[in-house]
Structure formats: C-alpha cells, structure tokens
Amino acid sequence: MPSVDELAPRSTVDLLLFDTGTSSFTGSSSATTNSTGNILDELPATNQLHAEGPVKRDNPFFRSKRSYSLSELSVLQAKSDAPDSSGYFTGLKSPAPEQFQSREDFRAAWLSHRKLARSCHDLDLLGQSPGWGQTQAVETNIVCKLDSSGGSVQLPDTGISIHVPEGHVAPGETQQISMKALLDPPLELNSDRCCTVSPVLEVKLSTLEVKTVIILEMKVSAEVKNDIFSKSTVGLQCLRSDLKEGPYVPIPLNYSYGDTVQVHLDNLEPCMHLAIVAHGPNILYPSTVWDFINKKVTVGLYGPKHIHPSFKTVVTIFGHDCAPKTLLVTEVTRQAPSPAPVALQLWGKHQFVLSRPQDLQVCMFSNMTNYEVRAGDQAKVVRGFQMKLGKVSRLIFPIACQNPSELSDFTLRVQVKDDQEAILTQFCVQTPQPPPKSAIKPSGQRRFLKKNEVGKIILSPFAATTKYPTFQDRPVSSLKFGKLLKTVVRQSKNHYLLEYKKGDAIALLSEEKIRLKGQLWTKEWYIGYHQGKVGLVHARNVLVVGKARPSLLAGPELSTSVLLEQILRPCKFLTYIYASVRTLLMENISSWRSFADALGYGNLPLTFFCRAELDSEPERVASVLEKLKEDCNNAENKDRKSFQKELMMALLKMDCQGLVVRLIQDFVLLTTAVEVAQRWRELAEKLAKVSKQQMDAYESPHRDRNGVVDSEAMWKPAYDFLLTWSHQIGDSYRDVIQELHTGLDRMKNPITKRWKHLTGTLILVNTLDILRAAAFSPADQDDFVI
C-alpha cells in the first residue's frame, strides 16, 4: 500500500516555490538548531514520529510518516494560505486528513482529487478556459533500447550516464532504459548531517532477465574538502529506493574521485530512484555537513524564445548542476482562472560555491536604458532553509521596454548576494533576438484577418507610391553551359528530372546545387534547360564549360515567358488558404490597376470587379482577386485556369518576388501537412529533435472529447509543427524548402516518390533570381518592389 508520503497532496508552493516578494521571516535560517530526521541517522524512522515536537497538521510538508521540526517551513505555509487556492486549480480543494475518520477514506478521496487535478480542465471553468493541469518543470529524460552488444546511455545536457556491459541480456533480447532527473529531492535526504549533491535519478528497466550489473556514472555538485578531518568525517554515498519518497538505503560506491562517482547496480528493479549524498553520521551541532564540503549551486536564467516589449524572466537556483533546457512556469496568483503555464528556454547558467545554507538576495540589471527590470522586482530573496532542503527556487523578474520601436537584444546581469549584502557571484547573459519580422504573424490556427479588421489596414508610404516595372519577354542571357557526360533514360518518368544523351549541351540556370534523393540515394543536382524543358540533372553527369554558347544546343531558345511558364508548373498542385492569400495581397499590393493588368484584365473598369464603389485600395485589390477566383473555379469555362498559377504569374510579372516566395512557402508547408497527415510525427523526427511530449502538445488542441485527433484533422498539428519549425530555420525560403524536401526523402516509403511537386517548387525558388534579372530592364531597377 502506498505510504502517506505518496498520498499527501503537494501545495502549489511546493510545486513551484515562486518567491514573489520578500518573506516576512526575518531570522537567519542558517542557525537551525534541530537536525531533520534522516534515514541515515541513528534513530529508527518509527521513533522519530514520537521524538519530534508538535507540528501543524494542515501543512502539506508534515503529512508524512516522519515529522520534521523545521520552523522555517512556516514561511512556505504562509505563502500557500491564499483563500480558495489549495490545489492545482482554484476550483479544486485538496482534501485534508482531519475530514476523514480512516486512512483508507482519506486515501480514496485524495486519489480522486489527484485524478481531477491532473485533468486538462478546471471542472468549475470547463468550457470557458482550458488550461494545463501539469505545472512542473520539464525534467530532463531519455529512453533508449540496447541489445546484447551493450552500450552507454547519457542523460542529455548532464554528466549522468549508464554503461551497459556486453552480454547484459541474451542475444536477440533488448533492454529498454529510461532515465529522468527529478529536480526536487525528498525532504529526508537533506539535513544537518546529509546533503544531496545530485538530482534524484529515476531509472526504469524493461526487463530484469539480465546477466550483468549496469554501471551508473555521475558528476556531482560537491567535493569533500581536502583535509584529513573533513575526509574522515564526511563521505559521498549513493542512496537507492524503489519510490521517490523513500525509504532510501545506502549502496556502496565502486569509484569516487573528485566530482565523479561510479556505482554498480545489481538486484535490479523495474523502477529505481538513486541519489548521491554527502553524509556525515557523527556530525554534532552546531556543525553541519556543509562545513566539510565545497558545495556548488547552479543559477539558471530562463526566458521566452524571443524577447518582446514586455516579458518575464525566471531565475532558478538548483542544488545540483542539472538545469533543464525548458521550464514550465505558472505564476501563483489569486485570480481565477489561473494563467496557463508558459514554456521558457534556458538562456544561460552559472555555478558557484556556497559555503553554507543562508539567505540569498538575487538581483537583476539590464545593460541598456531602454530595458528595465521593474523597480519593485529588482531584488528577491531565497531563504536559507530552501537551500538546505535542496528545493528548486524560482524567482520571477518582469522586464519592460521603454521604447518598443527600438526592440533589440541586450545583456542581463544577475547578482547573488549573501545575507550581509556581499556579492557571492555575478554573471551576464545575452538575451535572444526579437522575433523576425516574417515571424510576427498570427498562429497557425488563425492566419487571416476578420472581416471587420480588413478596413483597418494602413499601407506604408513606400507601398502607396510604388511603381511596378514592366515584364519583358526576351531571351535569358548570362547563362553557363555544360556538356553531358552520359546518357540517361528514366524508366519511371518524372516531370522534373531531365533525360539526355551523352555529348549533348545543356544550359545551367543556377550555379548552386540542390539536394534530393534519386533512385537510391541523395544526390546533388543542377537546374538545367535541355531540349525545351526545365529540370534537374545529376551534377556528376555535367562538365561545366563556361558562358560560351555551344553551337550544337538543341531545342528552342529559352525566353523569360517560357521560363516563367515552366517553373510555375507545380503551383497548381499546391494547397492554399484563400483568406490568408487575400490578406497578404491586401497588405502588400498598392495598385489594383497594375494587379488587374498583370492578371490579363487590361482596360477593364473597377465596376467590372465589384458593384459598389470601394473607398480603399486594399478592398479594390481584394475584389480583383475575387474575380480571378470566380473565373478559375467556373466549371463552364472551357479554358479553365489554375488560381495558384495565374496568381503567381501575375505577381512575378509585377516583380513582387518577395510576396511570391512568402506565398510559396506557406503553400508548401500547408500542402506537406495535408500530404503527410497521420505520418507527421515521423517527419517531425527527421526534421528536428522533437520529444513525444512536444508532439502531444501539438496534437492536444485538436483532440475531440475522447482525446483522439480525427484522421481528417491530422493535418492541423502537422501544419502547426511545420510553421514553428520553419521559423526556427530562419528567413531563407530556399533553406526551408530544401530542408523540408530532405526530411521527406529520409522518411520510410517517402511521399516524395509519388508526390513530385515539392521538387518543382525547389526548382521554382532557385530560378527566380535569373528570371528577374532577365525580365526587367536595368532602367527600372530603382522601382523594384521587393
């Protein structure tokens, strides 16, 4: 049966330990007179319950088999005394033991409460404001399978690894090892005589049918001082338990040198919890274990992925060196509903030696006058008893920009002072950049404006006075040429891969090579023009001879109109969101007349496109676009045209290349999401290191009442992921489409085998420069719209 330790509900403060202001506690916590109960101390656990003085029964820290006489814990209780705020949500009250006559009744009530609290919604606010029930930090973890050959598994970004010898399992069998670093240690592991010097490591094994031990190697955050008395008084020990809350028993260290220890784990269990501690069983008051060790603590600075005019950073203090890359933060407030947790990135971390557990004052300053840490939040206090207990402390520092128009990255300086105002350590961290302008747009769920917002669009003065150049139909010059070194005839025809004979000449449209998978493996390709077709040719099959035009160049001459027609071939196979296209054009096209002329509606009056008189230029542009959509979707029209192709052709004739590549990238991401659909997780693994939890988070907003994403809606999480991933790649549309193609090629049974049009878009974006150079006269260069 679970111990009362497991059943005791953790308060919000226990989960987050937000120090939102200076505590009312004024005494120095470093002068604690009573040692906490510890499993390594001489007194049996059963006797400690009677040996300790009376405690507050309503404090969540005291609901356990053992009682602890740490008076400083009342500070945490004071922080958790907010009315109607005793659980994860304001609408869910945690049951108290006093309300029940038997332990079994309390256990059933608490398990029921825990199940509700871990759901994704506050039951009192269901249907109004969905939010996450989990508010803990994202703990570092890894899962790995090893066969009989053995190997090593390292916990990412830590000095923790497990070595599995060869022959650990029988041939043909596998051992799945899961490791997770738990940031907050149980209370019993920290006292006057004992101090944790590593995170609590949770190790799970899939099979116990093994033939060898496994070896745990860890770097710890403390070393015993290099004098005879310290070494004889304190030593490093490894503690092990089946449950996180204990009880823990010591197991021998096989190797210890400096800050590195090794432990051989035998008598394996499906789930084991391990921690390294510095322990001195014979230490007498007023000495503590801290007097005999050099203990390092880690200060981490977390913030958003991009800085904004107003944002919050979180300074965390860990009793070990395992600072996770991501921190989920929910600020403790009295408002209902509580704000949803926010994922913050690790901006930087710093380690320093702390001589004893004491009150620490953490201060933050900006190096730029344009940014300021709010006056009341420049300094915050971490109490000494929190350092002694090894609890992770999180301090929120709001930062505001005085002039949002001058948003830029800057440097933050973090200072840590002791209780005498002396600086213990300080370090500087450079903030991330503001979001790129191309990324400042709505999320994937709403990438267009509402109808009542359309009239509020104000074009920039530059856009309002722009002149559009004239597209010239002329031969494409300044090409390089090559000689083909072998004959290639393809069994499976592909519109975008050329066929050719040995000795033929070919015009090369781009000096840069692109990468994509051929019949068997990934190759590098040139974009070429051969016998009237634009397509790809394997780079190894071409000998580049220079700009001299060969006399035996077969096929018609390449002109700008021919090139435009051929590279736009894949556009009609791309999926689009009309409302998003409409909004982009209204924001970026300044003349409805030029737009209509480029589409082939020359000399037609405005009344041809709309009945009512329109006041704003953006609405006139939208009416021309609406007419194009009607003509392309008209089933009675014998010459039915492609909306996407006609639109791109018109924009390229207007020299709106920047707008074209933005639309093309959006079309490609959406089309890929639709084509991949249920296989999007496989694509996510190929493109980026996305954890299962992150994948679940992408799908979560799209789940139905049964918690399942409908197969027809699976493109939505795929699209959300691709949008986020593309912003991480940067502003290069060529890189985004190239990396996406490479990722799709690496999938099992890749969709690019049957869906070839992504290859066509890769050709399109890599030939826009040569088309633009040939189609527009130099005299018009000053008027180009980029």
Side-chain angles (χ1 to χ4, degrees), residues 4 43 48 105 118 125 132 169 183 195 215 220-221 228 276 351 422 463 510 576 582 618 711 713 739 765:
V4 183
L43 284 177
Q48 290 184 5
D105 291 342
R118 283 179 174 261
L125 303 169
W132 297 104
V169 292
L183 303 181
C195 173
I215 303 167
V220 296
S221 61
I228 297 175
I276 307 297
Q351 274 193 328
S510 174
Y576 64 96
R582 183 176 183 269
S711 59
E739 292 302 317
V765 296

Side-chain angles (χ1 to χ4, degrees), residues 21-234:
T22 304
S23 169
S24 60
F25 177 69
T26 57
S28 173
S29 62
S30 60
T32 304
T33 57
N34 293 330
S35 170
T36 56
N38 188 282
I39 191 158
L40 299 174
D41 294 341
E42 294 179 284
L43 284 177
T46 52
N47 293 337
Q48 290 184 5
L49 180 64
H50 305 289
E52 299 289 338
V55 296
K56 289 181 68 175
R57 295 296 302 166
D58 58 345
N59 191 317
F61 283 106
F62 295 113
R63 296 173 185 169
S64 65
K65 290 184 292 186
R66 303 175 182 84
S67 296
Y68 306 100
S69 55
L70 287 175
S71 59
E72 297 93 339
L73 287 174
S74 61
V75 178
L76 290 182
Q77 177 62 32
K79 291 183 181 180
S80 63
D81 278 342
D84 299 322
S85 181
S86 58
Y88 287 102
F89 301 109
T90 55
L92 290 176
K93 293 187 177 181
S94 172
E98 295 81 7
Q99 299 172 340
F100 302 91
Q101 294 182 354
S102 71
R103 183 174 173 179
E104 287 301 317
D105 291 342
F106 169 69
R107 178 176 181 272
W110 189 84
L111 288 175
S112 176
H113 163 266
R114 186 171 183 266
K115 182 178 180 182
L116 295 178
R118 283 179 174 261
S119 67
C120 287
H121 300 285
D122 182 346
L123 300 185
D124 291 346
L125 303 169
L126 192 61
Q128 300 176 29
S129 177
W132 297 104
Q134 299 294 332
T135 56
Q136 293 92 335
V138 178
E139 291 157 330
T140 307
N141 64 84
I142 189 173
V143 180
C144 186
K145 277 189 177 182
L146 299 174
D147 58 17
S148 59
S149 301
S152 294
V153 183
Q154 182 172 8
L155 198 61
D157 306 308
T158 70
I160 303 173
S161 57
I162 284 183
H163 307 286
V164 179
E166 185 176 358
H168 174 67
V169 292
E173 299 293 327
T174 59
Q175 173 73 282
Q176 178 174 294
I177 298 178
S178 167
M179 284 197 294
K180 180 191 291 185
L182 307 177
L183 303 181
D184 279 322
L187 290 175
E188 69 176 52
L189 296 188
N190 287 276
S191 67
D192 287 342
R193 298 175 181 176
C194 186
C195 173
T196 52
V197 295
S198 77
V200 175
L201 181 67
E202 180 184 87
V203 179
K204 293 183 178 180
L205 304 176
S206 61
T207 179
L208 302 181
E209 297 180 2
V210 298
K211 300 179 180 179
T212 67
V213 299
I214 60 176
I215 303 167
L216 170 65
E217 184 174 306
M218 301 177 76
K219 282 191 177 293
V220 296
S221 61
E223 294 183 34
V224 179
K225 290 181 178 179
N226 195 22
D227 61 81
I228 297 175
F229 183 57
S230 296
K231 289 186 175 181
S232 62
T233 306
V234 172

